[in-house]
Amino acid sequence: LINTDRYTVADLMKDQGYHTAMIGKWHLGWDFVFKEGKASDRFDLKNGEVIDYSAPVTNGPDELGFDYYYGHCGSLDMAPYVYVENGKVTAPPNRITVNHDYKGFWREGPTASDFNHTLVTPNFVERAQNYIEERAKTGEPFFLYLPLPSPHTPILPITEFMGLSNTNMYGDFVMQVDWHMGQIMDTLEKAGVADNTLFIFTSDNGCSPRAEFEELDKVGHKPGGIYRGNKADAYEAGHRVPFITHWPNEIKAGQISDATICLTDLFATMADITNSKIPAN
């Protein structure tokens, strides 16, 4: 879905001496290897072929500027449900799972022995914390891309947050994400790098109707605030998203900007911060 010769933000940062990592949801394509199969083969027979989970997974983040990656492909509702680390599936599927719940829906598909849908976000955050701790010890700069599968569907808050928001499961899920961001901030501070690390929190689109807006209305909560619409439409609640930065050494706290920005601006911003020249193409 993205050409591997495309120059990415990760390429830019790597060229400037940063160690680069992607931990989380990778929705830009990668290639599994397929082999001939038969009806008795487990889980994923399709057009006479099955995925060879022992074979390398190619055209992933490692070919687009990342020194290290660990994640799953597509959304958390798209099979196969396996983790891939640096081009290798961490565990092959050993069962089929499906969830028909409207909020927690995921499609039927092969699921790895180490894959628990509800625990995917906590797993990514814990690995991100470990990465930050390890890189901070080196004293060298690092660039971490942490695309969480939450609060995207399936809406699956962990037990500790069920009912905690006094809204519904989506509100609980958002609270969980907020708590995880606190974990990341705590890790940066404990590692001694929070003041000189640019921490950006943002999203790719507005709230999905699977959050059940009518339920949220009953408790006075509107995910889009004063704006109309939702994910997948052209109205502002569909594409106006949070953009929060924390960088004590460079950004004064408490500021609010009315500038219109887009996530594609990140590339030019990182080039400016690192005094890099943007390639002509």
Side-chain angles (χ1 to χ4, degrees):
L1 296 180
I2 179 174
N3 292 332
T4 54
D5 59 358
R6 178 69 62 86
Y7 194 74
T8 67
V9 175
D11 286 315
L12 176 80
M13 302 304 285
K14 188 172 181 177
D15 286 347
Q16 292 301 311
Y18 284 70
H19 188 276
T20 58
M22 192 290 297
I23 299 173
K25 164 185 174 176
W26 182 255
H27 208 159
L28 294 169
W30 61 30
D31 291 334
F32 288 105
V33 171
F34 290 83
K35 62 182 180 180
E36 289 187 9
K38 52 185 182 298
S40 60
D41 281 323
R42 295 183 304 167
F43 309 135
D44 52 1
L45 182 68
K46 184 177 181 181
N47 298 324
E49 293 186 319
V50 295
I51 293 175
D52 183 355
Y53 292 103
S54 66
V57 180
T58 58
N59 295 321
D62 53 335
E63 297 190 42
L64 286 153
F66 289 100
D67 294 308
Y68 171 81
Y69 82 90
Y70 175 95
H72 68 79
C73 192
S75 292
L76 198 51
D77 53 7
M78 299 175 178
Y81 305 115
V82 297
Y83 291 119
V84 177
E85 183 173 29
N86 290 340
K88 295 181 179 180
V89 174
T90 60
N94 66 347
R95 67 198 192 282
I96 294 288
T97 65
V98 63
N99 191 354
H100 297 292
D101 178 72
Y102 181 72
K103 292 190 185 78
F105 168 81
W106 71 77
R107 295 167 182 82
E108 181 177 351
T111 307
S113 58
D114 63 351
F115 201 99
N116 179 316
H117 282 73
T118 301
L119 299 181
V120 169
T121 291
N123 179 27
F124 287 155
V125 172
E126 182 178 355
R127 288 172 180 274
Q129 290 177 281
N130 292 338
Y131 173 79
I132 291 168
E133 291 171 352
E134 291 170 4
R135 299 315 304 177
K137 290 176 183 177
T138 70
E140 300 297 323
F142 61 89
F143 174 77
L144 171 63
Y145 173 48
L146 178 62
L148 299 180
S150 50
H152 191 288
T153 53
I155 299 168
L156 300 168
I158 57 177
T159 303
E160 294 89 327
F161 285 89
M162 291 288 286
L164 199 61
S165 69
N166 294 317
T167 56
N168 67 3
M169 285 180 64
Y170 179 76
D172 298 340
F173 210 25
V174 171
M175 282 191 74
Q176 179 184 332
V177 172
D178 183 68
W179 177 68
H180 285 311
M181 293 304 96
Q183 288 184 299
I184 297 294
M185 181 61 72
D186 287 346
T187 301
L188 290 168
E189 291 176 347
K190 290 176 182 177
V193 295
D195 287 349
N196 196 36
T197 296
L198 172 56
F199 183 2
I200 297 173
F201 176 85
T202 186
S203 181
D204 58 349
N205 52 246
C207 186
S208 165
R210 284 187 183 264
E212 292 279 21
F213 294 153
E214 290 185 5
E215 289 181 2
L216 295 171
D217 276 340
K218 291 178 181 178
V219 292
H221 179 68
K222 296 182 182 297
I226 64 172
Y227 304 105
R228 63 175 169 170
N230 49 254
K231 173 185 176 178
D233 68 33
Y235 297 121
E236 290 209 43
H239 57 78
R240 184 185 285 253
V241 297
F243 190 90
I244 304 168
T245 63
H246 179 271
W247 194 12
N249 282 3
E250 300 291 340
I251 300 174
K252 184 180 178 181
Q255 296 183 84
I256 297 176
S257 172
D258 292 324
T260 299
I261 62 171
C262 176
L263 296 186
T264 54
D265 295 330
L266 179 68
F267 187 100
T269 299
M270 294 297 100
D272 187 44
I273 288 171
T274 58
N275 296 313
S276 306
K277 288 186 178 180
I278 299 177
N281 62 349

